[in-house]
PDB file of all heavy atoms in Angstrom:
ATOM      1  N   TYR A 211      28.397  -6.532   1.442  1.00  0.00           N
ATOM      2  CA  TYR A 211      29.749  -6.879   1.042  1.00  0.00           C
ATOM      3  C   TYR A 211      30.491  -5.573   1.022  1.00  0.00           C
ATOM      4  O   TYR A 211      30.170  -4.608   0.281  1.00  0.00           O
ATOM      5  CB  TYR A 211      29.738  -7.508  -0.376  1.00  0.00           C
ATOM      6  CG  TYR A 211      31.182  -7.839  -0.848  1.00  0.00           C
ATOM      7  CD1 TYR A 211      31.990  -8.805  -0.150  1.00  0.00           C
ATOM      8  CD2 TYR A 211      31.770  -7.165  -1.936  1.00  0.00           C
ATOM      9  CE1 TYR A 211      33.221  -9.078  -0.576  1.00  0.00           C
ATOM     10  CE2 TYR A 211      33.014  -7.436  -2.339  1.00  0.00           C
ATOM     11  CZ  TYR A 211      33.818  -8.387  -1.692  1.00  0.00           C
ATOM     12  OH  TYR A 211      35.057  -8.693  -2.085  1.00  0.00           O
ATOM     13  N   ALA A 237      25.470 -10.498  -7.360  1.00  0.00           N
ATOM     14  CA  ALA A 237      26.980 -10.298  -7.409  1.00  0.00           C
ATOM     15  C   ALA A 237      27.293  -8.996  -8.062  1.00  0.00           C
ATOM     16  O   ALA A 237      28.138  -8.189  -7.570  1.00  0.00           O
ATOM     17  CB  ALA A 237      27.641 -11.436  -8.092  1.00  0.00           C
ATOM     18  N   ARG A 238      26.784  -8.726  -9.232  1.00  0.00           N
ATOM     19  CA  ARG A 238      27.034  -7.543  -9.976  1.00  0.00           C
ATOM     20  C   ARG A 238      26.663  -6.263  -9.157  1.00  0.00           C
ATOM     21  O   ARG A 238      27.428  -5.290  -9.145  1.00  0.00           O
ATOM     22  CB  ARG A 238      26.215  -7.548 -11.289  1.00  0.00           C
ATOM     23  CG  ARG A 238      26.611  -6.364 -12.213  1.00  0.00           C
ATOM     24  CD  ARG A 238      25.978  -6.516 -13.588  1.00  0.00           C
ATOM     25  NE  ARG A 238      24.496  -6.727 -13.479  1.00  0.00           N
ATOM     26  CZ  ARG A 238      23.780  -7.077 -14.501  1.00  0.00           C
ATOM     27  NH1 ARG A 238      24.263  -7.227 -15.714  1.00  0.00           N
ATOM     28  NH2 ARG A 238      22.458  -7.269 -14.298  1.00  0.00           N
ATOM     29  N   LEU A 240      26.683  -5.889  -6.014  1.00  0.00           N
ATOM     30  CA  LEU A 240      27.612  -5.767  -4.890  1.00  0.00           C
ATOM     31  C   LEU A 240      29.044  -5.473  -5.369  1.00  0.00           C
ATOM     32  O   LEU A 240      29.941  -5.281  -4.518  1.00  0.00           O
ATOM     33  CB  LEU A 240      27.719  -7.082  -4.096  1.00  0.00           C
ATOM     34  CG  LEU A 240      26.375  -7.407  -3.249  1.00  0.00           C
ATOM     35  CD1 LEU A 240      26.473  -8.794  -2.708  1.00  0.00           C
ATOM     36  CD2 LEU A 240      26.169  -6.363  -2.126  1.00  0.00           C
ATOM     37  N   GLY A 241      29.249  -5.373  -6.653  1.00  0.00           N
ATOM     38  CA  GLY A 241      30.625  -5.121  -7.203  1.00  0.00           C
ATOM     39  C   GLY A 241      31.437  -6.330  -7.271  1.00  0.00           C
ATOM     40  O   GLY A 241      32.699  -6.236  -7.317  1.00  0.00           O
ATOM     41  N   ILE A 242      30.872  -7.513  -7.167  1.00  0.00           N
ATOM     42  CA  ILE A 242      31.594  -8.764  -7.302  1.00  0.00           C
ATOM     43  C   ILE A 242      31.510  -9.307  -8.674  1.00  0.00           C
ATOM     44  O   ILE A 242      30.548  -9.195  -9.351  1.00  0.00           O
ATOM     45  CB  ILE A 242      30.981  -9.771  -6.352  1.00  0.00           C
ATOM     46  CG1 ILE A 242      31.052  -9.376  -4.843  1.00  0.00           C
ATOM     47  CG2 ILE A 242      31.593 -11.169  -6.510  1.00  0.00           C
ATOM     48  CD1 ILE A 242      30.292 -10.160  -3.908  1.00  0.00           C
ATOM     49  N   ARG A 243      32.639  -9.816  -9.128  1.00  0.00           N
ATOM     50  CA  ARG A 243      32.667 -10.411 -10.555  1.00  0.00           C
ATOM     51  C   ARG A 243      31.639 -11.480 -10.687  1.00  0.00           C
ATOM     52  O   ARG A 243      31.640 -12.427  -9.968  1.00  0.00           O
ATOM     53  CB  ARG A 243      33.999 -10.981 -10.847  1.00  0.00           C
ATOM     54  CG  ARG A 243      34.218 -11.601 -12.219  1.00  0.00           C
ATOM     55  CD  ARG A 243      35.633 -12.041 -12.408  1.00  0.00           C
ATOM     56  NE  ARG A 243      35.819 -12.807 -13.695  1.00  0.00           N
ATOM     57  CZ  ARG A 243      35.880 -12.261 -14.915  1.00  0.00           C
ATOM     58  NH1 ARG A 243      35.964 -10.979 -15.048  1.00  0.00           N
ATOM     59  NH2 ARG A 243      36.029 -13.056 -15.947  1.00  0.00           N
ATOM     60  N   PRO A 244      30.658 -11.270 -11.631  1.00  0.00           N
ATOM     61  CA  PRO A 244      29.516 -12.197 -11.677  1.00  0.00           C
ATOM     62  C   PRO A 244      29.673 -13.432 -12.673  1.00  0.00           C
ATOM     63  O   PRO A 244      28.795 -14.130 -12.772  1.00  0.00           O
ATOM     64  CB  PRO A 244      28.400 -11.279 -12.176  1.00  0.00           C
ATOM     65  CG  PRO A 244      29.115 -10.356 -13.094  1.00  0.00           C
ATOM     66  CD  PRO A 244      30.434 -10.076 -12.464  1.00  0.00           C
ATOM     67  N   GLY A 250      32.537 -14.484  -8.331  1.00  0.00           N
ATOM     68  CA  GLY A 250      32.315 -14.772  -6.870  1.00  0.00           C
ATOM     69  C   GLY A 250      33.476 -14.325  -6.053  1.00  0.00           C
ATOM     70  O   GLY A 250      34.510 -13.859  -6.526  1.00  0.00           O
TER      71      GLY A 250
END
Side-chain angles (χ1 to χ4, degrees):
Y211 179 66
R238 183 171 56 188
L240 290 169
I242 296 171
R243 180 177 170 82

